[in-house]
Amino acid sequence: MPKHDQVLVGLDIGTSKIACIVAEVSPDGKVDVIGIGTHPSRGLRKGVVVNIESTVESIRLAVEEAELMAGVDIQSVFTGIAGSHIRGYNSHGVVATKNNEVMQEDVDRVVDAARAMNIPADQKILHILPQEYIIDSQDGIREPIGMSGVRLEAKVHVVTGAVSSAQNIIKCCNRCDLDVSDMVLEQVASAEAVLMQDEKDIGVVLVDIGGGTTDIAIFLNGSIRHTHVIPIGGDHLTNDLVIGLRTSAREADQLKRKYGACMTSLVPHEDQIEIPSVGGRAPRPMPRQVMAQILEPRVEELFEMIKDELQRSGFQELVAAGMVLTGGSSLLDGMVELAEDVFDMPVRLGRPQGVGGLVDVVSSPMYATGVGLILYGHRYRQSSQSFKSADGNILGRVWKRMRGWFGDPG
Ligand SMILES: Nc1ncnc2c1ncn2[C@@H]1O[C@H](COP(=O)(O)OP(=O)(O)OP(=O)(O)O)[C@@H](O)[C@H]1O
Ligand SMILES: [Mg+2]
């Protein structure tokens, strides 16, 4: 049985499913997935916990399944956070160095200065993600400590979220006797699992389309520049099918996964499917193209919203590597093709990478966040601190973790 300090657990509390992924870290630093448990999620809406009871129940079942498979007793987890309460800001701070050479103390002060911004009272800082340092007028510096200079400037991306949403996630985990090691913005986690370093360097948009939310992150010059959450996902597609095809939500979701497509031109017009009816009526045959006709405008609408956000961010022309689509809904037939049309940039599907072990089981885009949480946890384990309750302490914890990040050249 692996020791606790060798085990990392990612708990993705999604709108559609809860996924608990257990990995073992070998002495040489390899991360192997040794267990996975999933359970349909019933207590969330648009990425946010709205029913503690049912969320706790789903988490418990997913965790139990993962424990059984991995043969470990799970005590702490890395978990994600999403929802339209999430805000991302770019900020910067400037200080004068104390000894004409940048020391850790100067870095701490400059980040403190960058953090000083007006945040609404019900929001708390979740992440301070370093982008670059500028020493005197030399920009693009990743590792400033030890360099000479009198003026130190830090550019950072600050992510804030609603205190109550974060607390509810922690409450659900604690009710399942789980400690939360850290809470990570879902697209930051997914990015760990699906993006390549060269993509992050030349510029890339990550789009994680889940059940209730679409999470966006833009990377350039190796670091995160912009984050945004759109409260629309695959569940909206399913709802459109419920109305358009007059069938139950369960059937509609299954039909969507099996036969759905979001580009009518990709579906041969002779393809027929059978739609189970409600109220004991007989199933009806229907051309598969009808489904595509329902789904295409909705996906197009979502893509237009993403495009607007890209324009607003000012990075649209700068993402040379194009777009990476992940999350369960990216599996819908025609997603990549339609995205290439709408965004006029190269688009690829992002499957989780960077882990060994049960790779086949976690290779679906659905597990991008879960696998990413493990990779994130692996990278930042030393500097993260376990905490039982977030009360008043998110800031202190983030501050501690952040110091670790700034010492990390990656
Ligand atoms: N093969 C498929 N084709 C189309 N849609 C799919 C397919 N497989 C899964 N989906 C859809 O993906 C969605 C679930 O994706 P995912 O598991 O990434 O969501 P989640 O993480 O639970 O939710 P969120 O991140 O929004 O909180 C559901 O709407 C589901 O219908
Ligand atoms: Mg998700």
Side-chain angles (χ1 to χ4, degrees):
M1 191 189 267
K3 286 205 201 97
H4 277 294
D5 58 353
Q6 298 162 342
V7 170
L8 274 168
V9 183
L11 183 67
D12 175 15
I13 307 175
T15 312
S16 313
K17 53 101 194 35
I18 312 268
C20 179
I21 303 179
V22 187
E24 187 183 3
V25 183
S26 62
D28 58 355
K30 239 179 112 257
V31 181
D32 285 331
V33 174
I34 54 169
I36 173 167
T38 56
H39 197 268
S41 161
R42 304 230 162 73
L44 276 88
R45 274 200 66 218
K46 299 181 181 178
V48 173
V49 176
V50 291
N51 183 331
I52 300 231
E53 264 339 296
S54 26
T55 308
V56 166
E57 190 55 29
S58 305
I59 294 178
R60 195 167 275 146
L61 289 164
V63 168
E64 270 172 21
E65 193 183 318
E67 280 179 331
L68 213 63
M69 189 162 171
V72 294
D73 174 31
I74 298 173
Q75 295 176 345
S76 64
V77 295
F78 285 85
T79 183
I81 183 164
S84 44
H85 58 94
I86 301 286
R87 303 269 177 279
Y89 312 87
N90 287 324
S91 176
H92 72 117
V94 188
V95 295
T97 56
K98 284 232 168 96
N99 305 314
N100 283 350
E101 181 185 314
V102 180
M103 321 273 276
Q104 181 66 50
E105 188 197 333
D106 301 311
V107 174
D108 293 348
R109 278 191 305 124
V110 78
V111 171
D112 219 5
R115 205 185 56 179
M117 52 195 290
N118 208 358
I119 297 163
D122 58 344
Q123 296 251 321
K124 271 260 160 47
I125 294 178
L126 294 167
H127 291 288
I128 299 184
L129 302 158
Q131 292 171 333
E132 62 168 336
Y133 296 95
I134 303 164
I135 300 177
D136 294 338
S137 51
Q138 178 63 51
D139 59 5
I141 296 167
R142 298 260 183 94
E143 190 41 77
I145 292 173
M147 292 187 70
S148 298
V150 289
R151 182 181 190 275
L152 174 66
E153 189 173 343
K155 289 193 170 178
V156 299
H157 186 72
V158 181
V159 178
T160 69
V163 180
S164 54
S165 296
Q167 281 171 337
N168 282 336
I169 293 174
I170 293 163
K171 209 180 272 176
C172 289
C173 292
N174 290 168
R175 288 265 295 272
C176 300
D177 296 322
L178 299 169
D179 271 1
V180 176
S181 305
D182 207 340
M183 195 177 284
V184 184
L185 184 64
E186 285 179 11
Q187 56 267 51
V188 169
S190 301
E192 290 278 339
V194 304
L195 295 184
M196 315 265 178
Q197 188 59 43
D198 55 356
E199 287 176 319
K200 290 195 250 186
D201 287 339
I202 67 169
V204 68
V205 190
L206 175 77
V207 178
D208 180 332
I209 315 177
T213 63
T214 294
D215 310 331
I216 304 169
I218 301 175
F219 290 79
L220 186 65
N221 297 334
S223 44
I224 199 155
R225 303 285 152 169
H226 187 80
T227 48
H228 188 68
V229 179
I230 299 174
I232 290 185
D235 295 351
H236 296 78
L237 303 177
T238 305
N239 282 342
D240 287 353
L241 291 179
V242 168
I243 295 164
L245 304 178
R246 293 172 219 252
T247 187
S248 70
R250 247 189 72 171
E251 298 290 356
D253 192 64
Q254 275 175 10
L255 286 168
K256 180 182 77 174
R257 290 173 193 233
K258 241 171 149 176
Y259 307 111
C262 62
M263 249 183 139
T264 316
S265 55
L266 290 179
V267 181
H269 62 247
E270 65 275 11
D271 279 13
Q272 290 279 331
I273 53 171
E274 200 156 82
I275 313 288
S277 294
V278 288
R281 297 185 187 89
R284 294 157 291 143
M286 192 176 270
R288 196 179 148 215
Q289 275 202 343
V290 173
M291 262 180 97
Q293 282 160 5
I294 297 171
L295 296 174
E296 183 165 344
R298 178 65 99 167
V299 176
E300 249 171 20
E301 186 191 345
L302 174 62
F303 284 172
E304 289 299 333
M305 290 165 93
I306 298 171
K307 203 171 170 183
D308 287 349
E309 187 55 35
L310 284 184
Q311 253 156 13
R312 246 198 309 274
S313 74
F315 288 101
Q316 194 182 18
E317 306 298 330
L318 303 173
V319 285
M323 181 177 283
V324 176
L325 290 179
T326 192
S329 298
S330 67
L331 287 169
L332 187 66
D333 246 10
M335 274 284 188
V336 169
E337 292 81 355
L338 185 63
E340 279 182 335
D341 261 19
V342 173
F343 297 102
D344 198 22
M345 53 169 78
V347 180
R348 73 170 177 93
L349 194 65
R351 293 183 179 276
Q353 287 175 333
V355 290
L358 306 168
V359 181
D360 293 348
V361 190
V362 295
S363 68
S364 163
M366 223 186 272
Y367 299 124
T369 306
V371 172
L373 285 169
I374 286 175
L375 293 171
Y376 179 97
H378 178 50
R379 209 133 84 91
Y380 299 113
R381 186 160 218 181
Q382 288 89 337
S383 48
S384 66
Q385 285 249 324
S386 184
F387 65 111
K388 256 245 140 79
S389 152
D391 295 344
N393 224 341
I394 291 186
L395 262 178
R397 185 177 47 78
V398 167
W399 180 231
K400 274 209 178 82
R401 173 182 64 190
M402 210 179 57
R403 286 187 188 187
W405 292 0
F406 275 77
D408 179 352

